[in-house]
Amino acid sequence: MADFINTIPQVPRLNPNAHLILSETGEVCSWVGSEVFGLEGIGPGTIRELLVLIDGGRSLQAIYAELADSYDRNYLHEIILALTKLHVLEEVVTETAPSNYDSELPIVPEQVHQKAIAILGNHQLLDTLNKTFATAGFQNHRTFSFKDFASCQTPEFLALQQERILLNGSFKVSENSLDAVSVSGLCELFQEFDFVICALEGVPYQALFDINKSALASGTPCLFVTASPETALIGPTVIRGATACFGCRVLTLEAIPSVLNHILPQLSTPILAQADSPLLPSIAQACIEEAIAILGLNLTATRATSVVKINRQGDAYGGRCLRTVKRLLPSGECQQCTSQLDEPLGMLQRSAIAAAAEEIGRIWPISPNAAMRAAADPYQTVGILGGGTAGYLTALAFRALRPDIKVTLLESSAIPVIGVGEATTPELVKFLHSPRFLGLDIVDFYQRVLPTWKLGIKFQWGLPGDYEFTFPFQRGRLLESLLYDSTLNNQSLGAMLMSGDRAPIFDRGDGTPLSLLHQIRWAYHLDNRRFVRYLKEEAIAAGIQHIDVQISDAQMSADGETISHLITEDGRKLTYDLYIDCSGFRSLLLEQKLGSKFVSYQDTLSTDQAIAATVPHNGTIKPYTLAETMNNGWCWNIPFEDADHRGYVFSSAFCSVDQALEEMRAKNPGMGDPWLVKFRSGRHEHFWKGNVVAIGNSYGFVEPLESTAIHMIVLELELLLTNFPASKQDEGVKSVLNRKISDRWDALRWFLGIHYKFNRRLSTPFWQAANRDTDISGAAERLALFSERAPLSYRNSLFYTLHPPEFFSDDHSYDTLLAGQQVSARFVEPVEDLATWQRQLAILKGLASTAMPQHQALSCLREKRQDLLYDFVKRRDSWLHTWLPA
């Protein structure tokens, strides 16, 4: 509510930021700040007569005398008192000369000095900006004092203003000003300049809408500034096709009561009024910063997607004002801003579009994690049985997170590494490079391992024909993409890059790259041999003891509950406090020695063999793993720079190896020599039993769909080492980890099962059986809920509180697979209306059109711009440091 006062000014003047409006019902209303009040019993005629006399020079007694013949003095007194309480009237104050502010101005780069800048205004803001820009060294800036706007002189505008507006805050404009201007005239003017600042005070909002249209039409960046005595709002900088326009700002941020929306164009914008306002230095500094950002080498509009709010209180600039940044994107309710991305994009527009695209994402916070206190009888030695990906990741994880424990890795060089292409998830990227985990040098990794990027999975799946859908790692607006575009493939920028075979590195237009690696979640495609060799070299360099030895047996303790020691082929005995079983499918310690029962997933996942081979590609390195439906299973495609790695995952119950080979060769001309991998899908009853922990295939494995093998290794290591017991006597953590790990593997079982249950692309005997017999009972609740309120991710989850247990337990992952296979559902209301969706989609598509193909982007980062890889790791807003994507 207003701060009511009882003191009537003896020489009253009108508050330049006050409005008196005649409502449609004939009631006089006041609007000051964000508050609207009705003045009952006061006729508009009386108000008009009073306003003519209140000029800041007449005393209150003189005003009463002028109206003595028409009105009772007490009646006038009550009106004056009411207008004073509502801050429509105030005491006359003497304006002081502008203070000589000593605020430190930004350094203007040499290439910016000569840029042409237009400053539009009509009062104190114009004067201050003119002087400050001159002081800062801008040599080619011009000021324009605007007196009138053609759109504000139309009969319709004037008629409504005369009818409804009793008082509109305003002041005298200098004589040296332009005549009434039009949108077309402003377009011609703007085209002469590189940057425009609009700082008009006390003009109808229609005038700012005209300037808004001119900026959009001309393509000249235009920064909007409005200021009252208490608050200034700076931004957005309007840039064609990328940012919110001024109209969007009014809709989103301006405190205009909804009852006034229909006469908004007639209402007056705020007035600063004070020549010595403490806001002025902060406003000028923020405008200069934006001019430098727009016109400098980086061409990055800091106000592209945000608005600076400056208050009287605070200490951000010289102890005067507090600055807060507001997120702002094009509004679907706005009638002015359009995407206009059908024309070629300049460097500035590309940068602004990238900034807008970045704002569309979401950030998930990180929870704190306290260190464990030391305890008696701690684990001091760990023996890792087996190398490969699981063994070496385990060794490096212990070295990074528990350097106090001595780690020995035991493997035999006689056991070969399977050289299959390996697709991963973003969890591996985080695990390898985040300083919270291994912190391995990312540039060195790219030089030695030669990974390619994976933005998600493309599924040729679900419906017959050439139907396909993407499952991007970067979350987005799944429902809007589905409802408005009849596809999932536009839900995020990552999805669009997948569709266009592009990487998250963009061409600014001048040959310099723009990286959004930190914003768009991605994973690696890895050659397994190169990756394991790299991990082995890093482990040895980190001081991890490595013994090339064949383990022939393990001796049990007397009670049969633990491992006493390992026995080598040459008869040596090796003893450790804790044994990590990374022996692969044979599960030597966990299953064979300790007898942990194997829990089969056969009823859900019936495939049990895979044929793998390399296949030539056409030079395009696809930024996704492909999952293609086949007669008796499915085929993966993992792209590398030299060739694609293909693998046919099938069920031996429905076809022989020869039949699978024949089908695979028909799909892949030029296929290299194949090799066969047999597997079983399931997990063991225990993750940690006695003094043995099983990591990787020795604990569990599910068929390769969704690239979960390394993902689950990383997940197991994160859980193990962030919850590692302080003492060998601690038992509670073991049972908790057993339950949590088994729950996550079971959740993965049900998630993979829905791929088979609802894929109706083919009707072969295998797929008929999969549709009919696949057990997805563990996902029944999710399926029922999806059918009633899809997408699940558009409401608070009923399955977890803040974060899902892991990526494939996420509601959004279920949404993507169920909606992608067009499982029937009743949809909730979309978050964004069609107009907003189309504008944001245009922004994302505009940026995607400038993205580099993967071979070009990889070459750029490995050979020229390694700093962009380091930037991805170091910047605080990188998804590397969050659980889920932005």
Side-chain angles (χ1 to χ4, degrees):
M1 297 291 290
D3 181 18
F4 287 140
I5 59 175
N6 293 310
T7 304
I8 294 179
Q10 295 306 302
V11 182
R13 75 166 185 177
L14 297 170
N15 178 355
N17 287 300
H19 299 73
L20 288 174
I21 302 143
L22 188 63
S23 72
E24 295 184 46
T25 61
E27 180 185 36
V28 177
C29 299
S30 71
W31 172 42
V32 181
S34 60
E35 296 176 329
V36 176
F37 291 96
L39 285 75
E40 296 182 358
I42 304 176
T46 305
I47 292 290
R48 293 185 195 277
E49 291 184 58
L50 269 175
L51 296 181
V52 169
L53 298 175
I54 300 174
D55 57 4
R58 286 185 178 88
S59 68
L60 191 59
Q61 299 305 318
I63 294 171
Y64 289 161
E66 286 275 353
L67 299 173
D69 294 339
S70 304
Y71 298 99
D72 178 77
R73 182 185 181 92
N74 290 332
Y75 176 61
L76 292 175
H77 184 82
E78 290 298 322
I79 295 175
I80 295 292
L81 179 59
L83 294 177
T84 303
K85 286 182 176 181
L86 296 174
H87 300 288
V88 175
L89 298 182
E90 58 188 21
E91 186 72 63
V92 169
V93 293
T94 305
E95 288 195 10
T96 59
S99 301
N100 182 22
Y101 299 114
D102 296 324
S103 58
E104 185 176 341
L105 298 177
I107 298 174
V108 182
E110 189 62 35
Q111 72 273 12
V112 176
H113 279 141
Q114 298 299 323
K115 297 289 186 178
I117 299 174
I119 305 175
L120 318 181
N122 55 351
H123 195 53
Q124 191 58 53
L125 282 173
L126 178 67
D127 296 340
T128 298
L129 291 173
N130 181 33
K131 293 173 183 176
T132 309
F133 269 72
T135 302
F138 288 89
Q139 300 170 15
N140 193 15
H141 76 283
R142 291 177 60 192
T143 58
F144 297 89
S145 180
F146 280 3
K147 179 180 181 181
D148 210 346
F149 289 79
S151 62
C152 299
Q153 297 300 315
T154 63
E156 296 79 12
F157 184 93
L158 293 174
L160 185 58
Q161 187 174 58
Q162 180 68 24
E163 176 189 353
R164 302 289 301 281
I165 308 296
L166 304 177
L167 168 64
N168 222 3
S170 61
F171 51 78
K172 277 190 176 181
V173 181
S174 64
E175 294 294 329
N176 183 24
S177 60
L178 298 178
D179 292 330
V181 293
S182 64
V183 171
S184 59
L186 286 170
C187 283
E188 292 182 14
L189 175 66
F190 287 0
Q191 288 170 3
E192 299 176 16
F193 294 91
D194 300 304
F195 183 50
V196 174
I197 301 174
C198 174
L200 288 164
E201 302 176 61
V203 299
Y205 273 96
Q206 182 61 55
L208 267 61
F209 292 151
D210 285 356
I211 293 175
N212 196 48
K213 288 181 180 178
S214 304
L216 288 167
S218 67
T220 304
C222 180
L223 175 68
F224 283 92
V225 181
T226 54
S228 70
E230 300 297 328
T231 304
L233 291 175
I234 303 173
T237 300
V238 176
I239 299 174
R240 176 178 68 96
T243 63
C245 69
F246 177 79
C248 292
R249 194 187 91 178
V250 171
L251 289 167
T252 308
L253 296 178
E254 301 282 2
I256 298 173
S258 58
V259 295
L260 305 179
N261 284 347
H262 66 292
I263 59 169
L264 173 61
Q266 277 79 18
L267 298 177
S268 173
T269 62
I271 300 171
L272 189 61
Q274 296 173 263
D276 62 343
S277 169
L279 300 179
L280 286 168
S282 305
I283 293 170
Q285 184 163 345
C287 290
I288 289 176
E289 288 174 350
E290 183 69 351
I292 294 172
I294 288 286
L295 304 172
L297 291 175
N298 291 331
L299 297 172
T300 303
T302 58
R303 299 283 75 76
T305 54
S306 60
V307 174
V308 169
K309 182 178 181 181
I310 300 177
N311 299 323
R312 288 178 66 92
Q313 297 80 24
D315 58 2
Y317 284 123
R320 295 183 180 89
C321 304
L322 176 68
R323 183 169 76 166
T324 58
V325 176
K326 300 268 187 175
R327 178 181 182 271
L328 189 63
L329 289 167
S331 167
E333 300 176 26
C334 177
Q335 301 301 310
Q336 294 198 61
C337 78
T338 56
S339 49
Q340 299 182 34
L341 290 173
D342 51 344
E343 302 174 23
L345 295 169
M347 288 180 285
L348 174 61
Q349 290 153 348
R350 293 182 186 215
S351 294
I353 287 173
E358 190 167 350
E359 285 295 331
I360 292 172
R362 295 171 291 171
I363 302 296
W364 291 55
I366 306 169
S367 300
N369 200 1
M372 293 284 291
R373 289 183 180 274
D377 196 21
Y379 289 94
Q380 296 180 313
T381 60
V382 168
I384 301 173
L385 175 59
T389 306
Y392 284 110
L393 282 176
T394 301
L396 288 167
F398 267 93
R399 175 60 63 185
L401 300 177
R402 291 303 304 265
D404 55 311
I405 296 177
K406 182 181 179 181
V407 177
T408 302
L409 189 142
L410 313 165
E411 72 167 338
S412 171
S413 56
I415 300 176
V417 175
I418 300 175
V420 68
E422 194 90 60
T424 67
T425 69
E427 287 300 295
L428 177 66
V429 180
K430 181 181 75 171
F431 195 73
L432 290 175
H433 305 305
S434 170
R436 293 175 57 216
F437 297 105
L438 301 189
L440 296 172
D441 186 290
I442 191 169
V443 171
D444 180 56
F445 181 82
Y446 275 65
Q447 297 288 351
R448 292 160 60 188
V449 181
L450 303 178
T452 58
W453 289 310
K454 172 186 174 182
L455 302 181
I457 302 175
K458 177 178 284 189
F459 283 94
Q460 293 177 350
W461 209 271
L463 300 182
D466 59 358
Y467 174 78
E468 62 185 23
F469 66 92
T470 57
F471 180 8
F473 292 129
Q474 188 194 25
R475 303 313 199 201
R477 291 294 189 218
L478 180 148
L479 178 59
E480 284 76 1
S481 181
L482 192 63
L483 291 184
Y484 300 142
D485 295 336
S486 300
T487 179
L488 293 181
N489 301 343
N490 289 335
Q491 66 167 290
S492 66
L493 180 57
M496 295 176 199
L497 295 177
M498 289 172 66
S499 297
D501 288 337
R502 300 283 166 159
I505 305 295
F506 305 84
D507 184 355
R508 291 180 181 270
D510 60 352
T512 61
L514 168 70
S515 170
L516 286 186
L517 290 174
H518 68 285
Q519 177 67 22
I520 300 168
R521 275 176 72 94
W522 45 271
Y524 287 132
H525 288 133
L526 300 169
D527 177 274
N528 189 256
R529 286 194 179 92
R530 281 199 298 264
F531 184 47
V532 171
R533 182 170 62 246
Y534 166 83
L535 293 177
K536 180 177 181 179
E537 291 169 356
E538 287 297 307
I540 293 173
I544 294 165
Q545 185 178 8
H546 176 269
I547 302 177
D548 187 346
V549 63
Q550 179 75 44
I551 301 297
S552 61
D553 201 358
Q555 180 63 48
M556 306 288 292
S557 61
D559 59 7
E561 295 297 321
T562 60
I563 299 295
S564 173
H565 56 264
L566 303 178
I567 303 172
T568 68
E569 203 170 42
D570 57 6
R572 285 180 291 163
K573 298 179 181 180
L574 304 175
T575 304
Y576 305 97
D577 293 337
L578 182 68
Y579 298 87
I580 309 292
D581 189 346
C582 296
S583 61
F585 291 130
R586 63 178 178 144
S587 191
L588 175 63
L589 302 182
L590 183 69
E591 181 176 354
Q592 294 186 35
K593 290 299 175 180
L594 294 183
S596 182
K597 179 182 175 183
F598 183 76
V599 180
S600 175
Y601 292 165
Q602 177 69 25
D603 291 345
T604 301
L605 305 172
S606 61
T607 57
D608 56 3
Q609 298 189 34
I611 297 170
T614 58
V615 178
H617 59 51
N618 60 4
T620 300
I621 309 171
K622 292 169 281 294
Y624 53 81
T625 301
L626 176 67
E628 177 184 5
T629 304
M630 302 283 277
N631 289 340
N632 300 288
W634 63 279
C635 196
W636 77 66
N637 183 51
I638 298 175
F640 292 97
E641 290 179 88
D642 55 347
D644 288 341
H645 284 210
R646 294 281 269 164
Y648 185 3
V649 181
F650 62 97
S651 170
S652 61
F654 288 86
C655 76
S656 66
V657 174
D658 290 340
Q659 289 172 322
L661 270 171
E662 182 180 355
E663 186 183 359
M664 189 177 177
R665 284 200 173 100
K667 285 271 188 180
N668 302 285
M671 186 180 85
D673 294 334
W675 63 94
L676 180 68
V677 179
K678 296 183 179 181
F679 59 86
R680 60 178 180 173
S681 290
R683 62 166 175 84
H684 287 86
E685 189 174 0
H686 302 87
F687 169 68
W688 189 330
K689 185 172 185 181
N691 59 349
V692 171
V693 172
I695 298 290
N697 295 343
S698 59
Y699 170 78
F701 180 83
V702 290
E703 62 119 272
L705 193 57
E706 291 288 354
S707 312
T708 55
I710 296 181
H711 173 89
M712 296 306 285
I713 291 173
V714 166
L715 185 68
E716 290 162 356
L717 289 172
E718 284 188 48
L719 274 171
L720 173 66
L721 287 167
T722 55
N723 298 283
F724 199 78
S727 168
K728 287 188 285 187
Q729 307 307 314
D730 293 348
E731 292 293 329
V733 68
K734 296 180 184 179
S735 62
V736 174
L737 287 177
N738 281 335
R739 175 176 53 80
K740 293 183 77 68
I741 295 294
S742 65
D743 286 350
R744 295 187 185 185
W745 275 88
D746 290 347
L748 183 56
R749 169 190 184 174
W750 308 127
F751 178 69
L752 294 179
I754 67 174
H755 295 62
Y756 286 98
K757 190 71 172 180
F758 300 109
N759 181 15
R760 292 175 171 81
R761 188 180 187 90
L762 298 176
S763 59
T764 61
F766 170 84
W767 284 106
Q768 290 175 2
N771 297 159
R772 181 184 64 246
D773 301 332
T774 299
D775 176 14
I776 55 170
S777 55
E781 286 184 336
R782 258 203 174 100
L783 289 169
L785 201 59
F786 180 86
S787 70
E788 298 168 0
R789 52 191 286 185
L792 300 172
S793 55
Y794 274 51
R795 296 178 62 87
N796 290 334
S797 180
L798 290 174
F799 302 96
Y800 45 84
T801 52
L802 179 61
H803 300 318
E806 52 87 38
F807 188 82
F808 300 111
S809 299
D810 182 20
D811 283 342
H812 190 281
S813 295
Y814 269 84
D815 286 338
T816 301
L817 266 297
L818 292 171
Q821 295 178 99
Q822 298 198 8
V823 175
S824 61
R826 181 194 310 133
F827 292 114
V828 301
E829 290 295 322
V831 174
E832 293 167 343
D833 58 46
L834 176 60
T836 298
W837 166 255
Q838 289 175 335
R839 286 174 181 159
Q840 294 195 8
L841 183 65
I843 289 172
L844 297 178
K845 284 188 172 180
L847 180 61
S849 69
T850 70
M852 297 181 184
Q854 184 160 189
H855 72 275
Q856 180 183 349
L858 285 170
S859 175
C860 174
L861 266 60
R862 282 202 300 251
E863 299 168 13
K864 300 176 183 177
R865 294 300 305 273
Q866 299 173 349
D867 60 297
L868 295 179
L869 290 172
Y870 286 131
D871 179 71
F872 160 71
V873 174
K874 293 177 181 177
R875 59 186 300 159
R876 297 184 64 181
D877 61 342
S878 174
W879 63 261
L880 189 75
H881 311 301
T882 63
W883 193 90
L884 273 180

